[in-house]
Amino acid sequence: MTSEPLTSTPPPPGAGACPVTGAPAGTVRTWAVDDLPALEFDPLLAELLAKEPVARISLPFAAENEAWLVTRYADVRAVTSDPRFSRTALLDRQVTKMTGHMVASKAALNYADPPYHTRLRKAVTKTFTGRGTQRLRPLAQASCDRLLDAMEAAGRPADLMAHLHGPLPMAVVCDLLGIPEEDRAELASWPDLILSSGPGPESSRAAKAQIHGYVTRLLDQRAAEPREDLATELAEALTEGRIGADEAVSLAMAVLISGAHAVRNNSANMVYVLLTRPDLLARLRAEPELLPAAVDELLRWIPHRNGVGLPRIATEDVEVGGVLIRAGEAVYASFLTANRDPEVFADPDVLDFDRTGTGHLSFGHGPHHCMGAMLTRMESEVMLATLLARYPDLRLAGRPEDVVFQSKGLIRGPRELYVTW
């Protein structure tokens, strides 16, 4: 299904014009954020990037509480790094948004501003260093090999979502946190319920309550029996008074939920792209040393989410892209459009494994830049390298247009990805 035609709310009588686009001031774009075919780029985002880079929008929930949306690379970087745009101020505002429920806990990093945000991140930075990621790589490779052995034993065709992209990121996050094997099946479905606009707030709240209870018990265990894992690092920070109990649980939940869910979908999207682009697949087979650059370019090009993430609130009047944003107004920033900005990336809609220069913003920017960026890259490299080396004739089991993608998810990706070899 493609997006519905875009609608606009007319400006009030006597309104001026946008100094950048000449559009009437006060025009609001109604953005339904409908499901799009496969990895098609959202047409509203493409239009705004080209014609109205600082625009007014209303989303499906709390539509009356409009917000700004910035789409250009420079403006996205400015908004996401300027301390005059606050995430904490969101807690006191009703802003138009994607879902009817709060995805993250109020104690979470997502709603924190520096210096409080900086203190929270310091509680887990050791785990997310290059050394920490390298510690997990052989564990990820062993899990990948084991999962693909089981897939082969089950026979062809096989659903990569069920056999690889779902269980491997969950295994890596569980290795990171120190969650024992016997508890992992219980956790597997909870991230999907939380990071969805479909099931509703009751299912999301129930899943978060279950994860909260589990993580609380895990941190209690690590306080008594420390190990080399993130749960121990959090338990130590909690015991030493550097963070509180809600903060420790929130940090662990954020890693568990976003780490497992986002990497599952992003890595599956990468495989889908390669299996539908035989030229790119053949090149990676011929030049395996290109893999890190290919993963980075796939991260830039793939529209990995629906809509936009969390907004920020202007704490004073700020001019962005020639438009004055008033104190108290909400601003969304689209990393997807920033990654397609023709002022920054030559031929931005082309997937180019030789691309060099300015880095993409798929892991965010500023204080909220994703801590798990190195871990995500590592997992994607392990999965792609193993699939390419192990299955020289890997291909979709059906037509590309028959691959079913998730509906009403905040993160985009295949629901099933059947392959043969």
Side-chain angles (χ1 to χ4, degrees), residues 137 291-293 295 376-386:
R137 190 172 196 119
L291 186 60
V295 165
T376 297
R377 286 187 174 97
M378 179 273 285
E379 292 177 69
S380 299
E381 288 176 18
V382 165
M383 280 186 265
L384 291 182
T386 307

Side-chain angles (χ1 to χ4, degrees), residues 18 25-27 52-59 65-71 79 85 95-96 308 311-312 314 318 320 323-326 328-334:
C18 169
T27 298
E52 196 179 350
V54 184
R56 296 287 286 173
I57 61 165
S58 67
L59 289 160
N65 300 316
E66 302 155 2
W68 292 100
L69 172 65
V70 298
T71 48
V79 166
F85 293 102
V95 178
T96 187
V308 282
R312 291 162 173 79
V318 186
V320 178
V323 175
L324 184 64
I325 295 172
R326 300 285 187 184
E329 292 184 324
V331 185
Y332 283 97
S334 173

Side-chain angles (χ1 to χ4, degrees), residues 88-166:
T88 302
L90 272 178
L91 297 173
D92 301 319
R93 295 287 196 288
Q94 270 293 332
V95 178
T96 187
K97 56 185 178 177
M98 293 276 299
T99 69
H101 58 277
M102 184 178 281
V103 171
S105 158
K106 288 185 178 182
L109 277 169
N110 285 333
Y111 294 102
D113 293 331
Y116 173 61
H117 178 270
T118 309
R119 178 169 64 81
L120 287 183
R121 280 181 71 114
K122 280 184 178 177
V124 294
T125 49
K126 184 172 71 175
T127 299
F128 289 99
T129 60
R131 181 168 173 256
T133 299
Q134 287 306 113
R135 178 183 73 83
L136 292 169
R137 190 172 196 119
L139 295 175
Q141 186 65 63
S143 293
C144 187
D145 294 338
R146 173 177 50 79
L147 290 166
L148 292 177
D149 287 345
M151 182 179 83
E152 289 177 21
R156 294 171 284 189
D159 179 10
L160 280 179
M161 299 307 295
H163 288 283
L164 180 65
H165 297 294

Side-chain angles (χ1 to χ4, degrees), residues 16 43 51 84 97-98 108 129 140 158 166 169 222 243 246 249 276 290 293 311 327 329 346 348 354-355 384 406 413:
K51 299 178 181 178
R84 293 175 295 177
K97 56 185 178 177
M98 293 276 299
T129 60
R222 288 298 182 272
I243 56 175
D246 283 347
V249 172
T276 54
L290 268 181
E329 292 184 324
D354 295 313
R355 191 180 296 278
L384 291 182
Q406 295 176 78

Side-chain angles (χ1 to χ4, degrees), residues 110-375:
N110 285 333
Y111 294 102
D113 293 331
Y116 173 61
H117 178 270
T118 309
R119 178 169 64 81
L120 287 183
R121 280 181 71 114
K122 280 184 178 177
V124 294
T125 49
K126 184 172 71 175
T127 299
F128 289 99
T129 60
R131 181 168 173 256
T133 299
Q134 287 306 113
R135 178 183 73 83
L136 292 169
R137 190 172 196 119
L139 295 175
Q141 186 65 63
S143 293
C144 187
D145 294 338
R146 173 177 50 79
L147 290 166
L148 292 177
D149 287 345
M151 182 179 83
E152 289 177 21
R156 294 171 284 189
D159 179 10
L160 280 179
M161 299 307 295
H163 288 283
L164 180 65
H165 297 294
L168 181 62
M170 179 60 80
V172 171
V173 167
C174 287
D175 287 335
L176 178 77
L177 276 165
I179 294 172
E181 289 281 350
E182 60 270 20
D183 294 346
R184 297 184 181 189
E186 179 188 0
L187 299 174
S189 66
W190 294 342
D192 283 351
L193 292 174
I194 293 170
L195 289 173
S196 172
S197 60
E202 295 80 13
S203 298
S204 175
R205 278 195 292 267
K208 281 189 281 190
Q210 288 175 301
I211 293 182
H212 190 285
Y214 178 85
V215 170
T216 300
R217 294 189 296 274
L218 178 66
L219 295 184
D220 287 343
Q221 291 169 7
R222 288 298 182 272
E225 300 175 14
R227 299 182 186 175
E228 189 181 1
D229 54 36
L230 179 58
T232 298
E233 192 175 351
L234 288 169
E236 287 173 355
L238 178 57
T239 301
E240 294 166 7
R242 289 184 279 126
I243 56 175
D246 283 347
E247 294 165 340
V249 172
S250 175
L251 285 165
M253 286 176 66
V255 170
L256 180 62
I257 294 166
S258 60
H261 188 91
V263 177
R264 180 191 72 180
N265 290 292
N266 284 346
S267 62
N269 287 333
M270 291 179 188
V271 172
Y272 173 82
V273 169
L274 292 175
L275 294 182
T276 54
R277 289 287 305 273
D279 56 324
L280 298 178
L281 183 62
R283 185 165 184 214
L284 273 187
R285 290 194 187 282
E287 303 174 63
E289 68 277 6
L290 268 181
L291 186 60
V295 165
D296 218 45
E297 173 67 349
L298 287 162
L299 284 166
R300 180 198 71 85
W301 184 87
I302 290 169
H304 61 278
R305 68 161 297 126
N306 284 318
V308 282
L310 285 174
R312 291 162 173 79
I313 303 295
T315 57
E316 59 183 81
D317 292 359
V318 186
E319 186 176 298
V320 178
V323 175
L324 184 64
I325 295 172
R326 300 285 187 184
E329 292 184 324
V331 185
Y332 283 97
S334 173
F335 296 117
L336 298 186
T337 53
N339 286 341
R340 299 287 185 106
D341 188 341
E343 295 295 317
V344 178
F345 302 100
D347 298 320
D349 297 328
V350 173
L351 200 48
D352 179 7
F353 290 166
D354 295 313
R355 191 180 296 278
T356 58
T358 307
H360 61 72
L361 299 183
S362 295
F363 293 112
H365 180 67
H368 288 274
H369 181 271
C370 176
M371 291 184 297
M374 283 192 289
L375 190 64

